[in-house]
Every structure is written in C-alpha cells, then in structure tokens.
Amino acid sequence: EARLDIECISCSSPLIVEMASKLGSQEAVQDTTAVANMIFKYLSNLLGGDFVQSGLDKLLNEAAMKCPHSPSYNQNFPGLKYDELILSEKSEDSYGFLIAIIAVIAVFVVVVAVIFAATRWASRRRHNRWVNTLNTRQKLELERMQTGENEREKDLDSRMSSLVRSKEVPLL
C-alpha cells in the first residue's frame, strides 16, 4: 500500500488542506499503490533482463585479470572484446511507460522549481518593501541584530559537530 500522507502543521492555504485530504482518501491510496506497483514491475523487468546480466558477466570475467592478488593478473590488460549484445524486442508499452514516467518526473521537477523561484521572488520583494519602510536607525539596529546572530552561529559551528561526524551518537 502506497500512502502519501501530508500533515499540515501551520497551513496558510486552504488548497494544502484540501490536497492533504484528497491524498489521504482510499481512492488516492489505490491509485498510488497501482502506480508504484507498475514502476516496481517495470524496474524489475529492466534489471532482470539480459542487458544488466550481460554487463555483470563481463565485469566478473575481467575481474581476475584486473586484480593484483589473482594469479591471472595482467597489469597491461586492455579488456576483453565482446560481440555486440542483441537485445530482445520489448513491447511498445514498456517504452511508452518509461517515457510517461520520465515526463511526469520532469513536469514535477519543473513545477517545484517554478514554485520555489516564485516563493523566493515574492519573499525577497516583500522583504525589500519592508526594509524600505525602515528609517536609518532601524536599519542600523537590524544590521546589528543580524551581525550578532551570525556571530552566534559561527560560535556554535566552531564548538559543535553534526550528528554524522560525532564520535558518539546518543540513543535517547
């Protein structure tokens, strides 16, 4: 079951709430499950085919000749020459499905990029308008506050390390 749960913590748009309820519906769960199963089936057919197996076979055949610990190691080994692989014909549906998946992903990426760019543009515009309403004293105070915040961040960064780089990861 492929479920796309969205939990809105602080929603400013009623469309987000509506989208969350629609994605949580039983019909949406069935649709996303069907799409996920189709993608997994397609990928398993692609990975289980002759093309991937042929590539793995070639790597394994040449491995001993490229490994310095093998008795058949050859430092100047140029690589084996293989005949061109003749792939079995796939149905047009599988190519259409691949193109559909790529198109959906591309459209999604473009939509997300446009939303991101529009949000940043609107935010900067709103910020610049707000800064223009400030007098000189307020601007200097804002600059002082930002400088202090940057210094605190630099101090914290110099004294602490991320969880990934830490020598000990707390369990609780």
Side-chain angles (χ1 to χ4, degrees):
E1 186 171 275
R3 181 181 301 271
L4 298 174
D5 286 332
I6 295 178
E7 185 178 327
C8 188
I9 296 170
S10 175
C11 292
S12 60
S13 171
L15 292 176
I16 299 286
V17 176
E18 182 182 340
M19 184 176 71
S21 66
K22 287 190 181 206
L23 286 176
S25 72
Q26 189 60 34
E27 183 181 330
V29 171
Q30 290 171 349
D31 289 345
T32 55
T33 302
V35 169
N37 287 338
M38 287 173 32
I39 291 171
F40 290 142
K41 183 178 178 184
Y42 179 77
L43 290 176
S44 67
N45 285 341
L46 186 67
L47 293 176
D50 294 337
F51 182 72
V52 174
Q53 185 63 48
S54 174
L56 291 173
D57 291 344
K58 289 176 184 178
L59 283 173
L60 290 174
N61 284 336
E62 295 179 358
M65 295 173 215
K66 292 181 178 179
C67 177
H69 303 289
S70 172
S72 57
Y73 171 68
N74 181 357
Q75 185 175 5
N76 300 321
F77 178 65
L80 298 173
K81 300 293 181 207
Y82 295 96
D83 293 336
E84 190 172 321
L85 177 67
I86 299 172
L87 296 175
S88 61
E89 289 295 318
K90 300 285 183 182
S91 68
E92 291 297 320
D93 291 341
S94 64
Y95 292 123
F97 185 64
L98 179 63
I99 291 170
I101 290 173
I102 292 171
V104 167
I105 291 171
V107 167
F108 179 74
V109 167
V110 167
V111 167
V112 167
V114 166
I115 289 171
F116 179 75
T119 304
R120 286 197 63 183
W121 175 78
S123 178
R124 282 185 179 169
R125 185 172 165 218
R126 196 174 329 129
H127 177 74
N128 287 337
R129 284 182 179 173
W130 174 73
V131 168
N132 288 336
T133 64
L134 299 177
N135 61 34
T136 306
R137 186 183 56 77
Q138 291 171 323
K139 287 180 184 178
L140 289 173
E141 179 65 21
L142 178 64
E143 184 179 357
R144 187 189 62 74
M145 289 171 50
Q146 289 174 342
T147 303
E149 183 66 29
N150 287 341
E151 288 173 1
R152 280 191 295 279
E153 286 180 11
K154 286 180 184 178
D155 179 50
L156 283 174
D157 287 345
S158 68
R159 292 186 294 133
M160 298 188 181
S161 63
S162 67
L163 189 59
V164 172
R165 292 183 178 172
S166 111
K167 294 179 177 132
E168 184 176 311
V169 178
L171 296 176
L172 298 174

